Amino acid sequence: MTDRPTRNIEIEKHVEASVEDVWEAVTTPEGLRRWFPLDAKIEPRLGGSVWLSWGPGVEGEAPIHVWDPGRRFGWTEHHGDDEHGQPIKVAVDFHIEGRGGTTVIRLVQSGLSAASDWDEMYDALVDGWTYFLFSLAHYLSVHPGRPRRMAWRRFPSELDRATVWARLQSAGLVSEGAPGAPSVVEIGTAHPATVVSVRAGHHFAARLPELEESVFFVELEGRHVGFWLSTYGVEDARVEALQSALDDRVEEVLAL
């Protein structure tokens, strides 16, 4: 077995929900679809599997390596082989603990290569997990038990990251305010927003209070750009209109 230098990601989030509700949200297909992937399937047992999808070409299945109800759930991803032909295995673990009337969920992703050619992927994973744990807490505290409807678009772009970010910022699809700062998201019409997090050139996340506390997330990952609008309690016709407006806006701004 290769002694390969690795690094981990560890993020902790306090959630205003019971341990039972957090467990359901991270270990059932219905729960996961409300804050994480577009679609999910789970064989809920040690040695079972989890399948997650963010659209065609961005989906995968992984074996479950830990299943401790109410406490810990995790799977193992295979990221190819190293220079010695040994498999690169990356573990994703959710640790759940009731604490002081709330629930603390700790995400640990371990086994990521320490090599420099993994730096961009590592940074993207940190951004992604930070947002998704916010999304989990937002769903459970603001929209508990409500299904999510998505308007989304993900595509490859030949433009460099700086150019993409500048165009998105000029078009009102991202901004660079500090967390908690007011903003506006231009999807069809101007939607008042509150910044959740931002890292210029990498990601932008905001709450849209007047759109039933929906959440908008933009990510620049490698040569791909993703737009994800999570809505709860918004009428189907309005979500469809938002999808159409998002498609038109993205095509206009990035000249697809």
Side-chain angles (χ1 to χ4, degrees):
M1 187 171 182
T2 303
D3 185 14
R4 176 174 53 89
T6 62
R7 51 185 155 174
N8 301 339
I9 295 170
E10 184 169 341
I11 303 172
E12 186 173 280
K13 187 77 173 178
H14 288 251
V15 181
E16 295 293 334
S18 68
V19 167
E20 292 76 15
D21 287 344
V22 173
W23 178 257
E24 181 179 9
V26 301
T27 63
T28 67
E30 296 81 6
L32 286 164
R33 292 184 196 117
R34 292 172 180 175
W35 65 275
F36 194 25
L38 294 173
D39 198 7
K41 300 175 186 176
I42 290 182
E43 186 182 355
R45 62 178 179 83
L46 180 63
S49 63
V50 56
W51 176 86
L52 306 172
S53 173
W54 283 267
V58 192
E59 53 196 18
E61 187 173 21
I64 294 172
H65 67 250
V66 61
W67 182 269
D68 185 3
R71 296 183 179 181
R72 187 178 167 199
F73 163 60
W75 64 81
T76 304
E77 300 172 352
H78 184 202
H79 286 257
D81 297 332
D82 64 18
E83 66 275 17
H84 302 288
Q86 298 296 320
I88 300 174
K89 294 184 178 181
V90 174
V92 176
D93 289 279
F94 295 93
H95 300 258
I96 300 170
E97 176 190 351
R99 192 186 302 171
T102 65
T103 298
V104 176
I105 184 164
R106 182 165 56 92
L107 178 281
V108 180
Q109 187 163 17
S110 56
L112 296 160
S113 174
S116 60
D117 58 353
W118 281 59
D119 286 352
E120 184 168 341
M121 177 181 176
Y122 181 87
D123 288 344
L125 287 168
V126 171
D127 283 352
W129 281 122
T130 299
Y131 167 73
F132 282 122
L133 290 183
F134 159 80
S135 179
L136 169 64
H138 181 77
Y139 156 63
L140 286 170
S141 63
V142 180
H143 305 288
R146 301 177 80 178
R148 178 178 67 164
R149 286 288 309 277
M150 297 286 293
W152 65 280
R153 185 78 182 269
R154 184 181 188 275
F155 58 91
S157 174
E158 294 302 317
L159 299 173
D160 64 87
R161 186 188 298 274
T163 299
V164 171
W165 186 262
R167 290 191 183 185
L168 296 180
Q169 189 171 17
S170 177
L173 285 166
V174 302
S175 68
E176 295 184 7
S183 185
V184 173
V185 171
E186 299 277 354
I187 305 176
T189 60
H191 299 275
T194 302
V195 174
V196 171
S197 65
V198 59
R199 185 159 70 99
H202 294 268
H203 84 273
F204 169 77
R207 295 187 296 107
L208 279 56
E210 294 183 10
L211 193 61
E212 301 291 340
E213 282 290 349
S214 297
V215 182
F216 185 56
F217 180 52
V218 180
E219 60 174 346
L220 281 64
E221 182 181 356
R223 287 289 183 174
H224 284 79
V225 187
F227 301 85
W228 313 92
L229 177 62
S230 298
T231 74
Y232 302 86
V234 178
E235 300 87 349
D236 289 353
R238 192 173 186 190
V239 176
E240 291 170 3
L242 286 164
Q243 179 69 69
S244 179
L246 179 62
D247 289 340
D248 292 345
R249 190 73 171 138
V250 168
E251 290 176 11
E252 173 191 359
V253 171
L254 298 179
L256 299 179

